[in-house]
Amino acid sequence: SAFMNGMKLFIHRYQFGSATKEDLWNSIQQCTNDEFSIHELMYPWLTRSRFPFVRVSLKPQEMRIVIEQQPFCFNWEHNNSKSQHLWAIPLRMRIGVIGKGEVLISRIIREKRAEIDLLPEIRRFGRSIKPQDVYVIITDGHSGYFATHYDDKTSWDAAMNALSKGHMSDVETLGFVYDVILCIHEAALNEKSTHDVHKLYTRLKKIVQLLDKDRRHPAWCPAQLFVWDLAILSASNSVK
């Protein structure tokens, strides 16, 4: 791969001397097809104190996914400031149709809002695809260093299809649970509406119900513990 060839070039070139991160990026750049700048890709990830919060929505009739990014932050005022911080986010999405197969789609998202047309990939499984049969995993292998929020019901249902039909690995399921918990924290600490927090809490409970069939699953324990913690917190607040 271009990355491994770049690493070999970097090691060969600087094996007996000092090097900077720019030397590493330049070595990898020489082994790519120059579709994008390695420095532009890496600079935000190495210089910013936060990480991206990726909102996902799905347009089922058009078979398009909408990706929006913003800095993740627990501070409401800071998060709602007009921050122009953007990352070049490498996405490896798995999109599938239940019973027919799946495809891997790779994109680099540089914009604050981007739309990805899924129709050319989905059509390989046939022309009469029902939206309720589509499943989505935004981060293949949960390999991205960002939090994912399935913003609308359609994208959430597509993610739950992946979980309920056994298309999520253990690592992806753990990441799925972790992202929902992060979203609950973000909604609660940024003083969003009670409806938003309750919706996310209900989503987490649905994940627990699915995982309850096999309590040995590594994602069941953290999900169930957080649901219990929220229930205890809610009960203690109502007593006060």
Side-chain angles (χ1 to χ4, degrees):
S1 69
F3 175 75
M4 292 305 297
N5 290 335
M7 290 300 297
K8 290 177 183 176
L9 177 62
F10 173 73
I11 292 171
H12 176 75
R13 183 176 290 170
Y14 298 104
Q15 59 183 326
F16 297 117
S18 301
T20 66
K21 59 181 182 294
E22 283 75 18
D23 295 326
L24 175 58
W25 310 148
N26 291 336
S27 298
I28 297 174
Q29 188 75 63
Q30 289 183 33
C31 297
T32 66
N33 52 13
D34 290 328
E35 288 185 1
F36 56 88
S37 165
I38 298 296
H39 184 272
E40 177 188 334
L41 174 69
M42 295 303 301
Y43 184 79
W45 296 99
L46 296 174
T47 58
R48 292 176 187 162
S49 58
R50 291 180 286 160
F51 55 89
F53 186 47
V54 173
R55 295 182 179 274
V56 181
S57 55
L58 179 62
K59 299 179 178 180
Q61 302 305 324
E62 304 170 28
M63 285 296 174
R64 300 178 75 86
I65 278 187
V66 179
I67 306 290
E68 296 182 78
Q69 61 161 303
Q70 67 184 64
F72 185 87
C73 185
F74 287 137
N75 183 292
W76 186 86
E77 291 182 357
H78 192 68
N79 215 26
N80 281 271
S81 63
K82 295 182 179 179
S83 174
Q84 298 300 315
H85 285 176
L86 297 175
W87 288 258
I89 303 175
L91 282 185
R92 284 172 52 87
M93 303 179 292
R94 292 217 320 275
I95 312 295
V97 178
I98 296 172
K100 294 190 177 182
E102 65 180 28
V103 293
L104 185 66
I105 300 176
S106 298
R107 295 285 190 278
I108 294 180
I109 307 299
R110 298 182 179 87
E111 308 87 353
K112 186 174 181 61
R113 185 182 187 276
E115 289 196 18
I116 300 173
D117 186 6
L118 303 178
L119 200 55
E121 304 294 342
I122 293 294
R123 273 186 173 166
R124 70 175 62 186
F125 302 119
R127 296 276 176 175
S128 56
I129 302 298
K130 298 178 181 178
Q132 61 266 31
D133 291 335
V134 174
Y135 65 86
V136 173
I137 301 171
I138 291 297
T139 49
D140 177 51
H142 198 69
S143 55
Y145 189 67
F146 52 86
T148 303
H149 176 41
Y150 294 90
D151 208 16
D152 64 341
K153 184 178 184 301
T154 309
S155 62
W156 171 258
D157 288 344
M160 287 297 284
N161 276 345
L163 177 61
S164 62
K165 301 301 181 183
H167 295 291
M168 274 193 191
S169 67
D170 288 353
V171 170
E172 289 166 345
T173 305
L174 274 166
F176 188 42
V177 167
Y178 178 69
D179 283 344
V180 174
I181 291 173
L182 271 181
C183 290
I184 293 173
H185 279 298
E186 190 264 349
L189 294 176
N190 289 335
E191 299 179 354
K192 294 185 178 178
S193 70
T194 304
H195 172 74
D196 290 337
V197 178
H198 180 73
K199 181 179 74 172
L200 291 165
Y201 173 67
T202 302
R203 287 181 171 186
L204 186 60
K205 285 180 67 176
K206 288 181 179 178
I207 295 175
V208 171
Q209 289 170 3
L210 275 177
L211 298 178
D212 207 43
K213 300 171 185 177
D214 181 12
R215 295 190 175 186
R216 294 172 297 177
H217 194 290
W220 176 84
C221 185
Q224 181 64 82
L225 285 174
F226 196 77
V227 166
W228 284 336
D229 286 344
L230 285 177
I232 293 170
L233 181 63
S234 177
S236 63
N237 286 339
S238 63
V239 170
K240 292 178 182 179

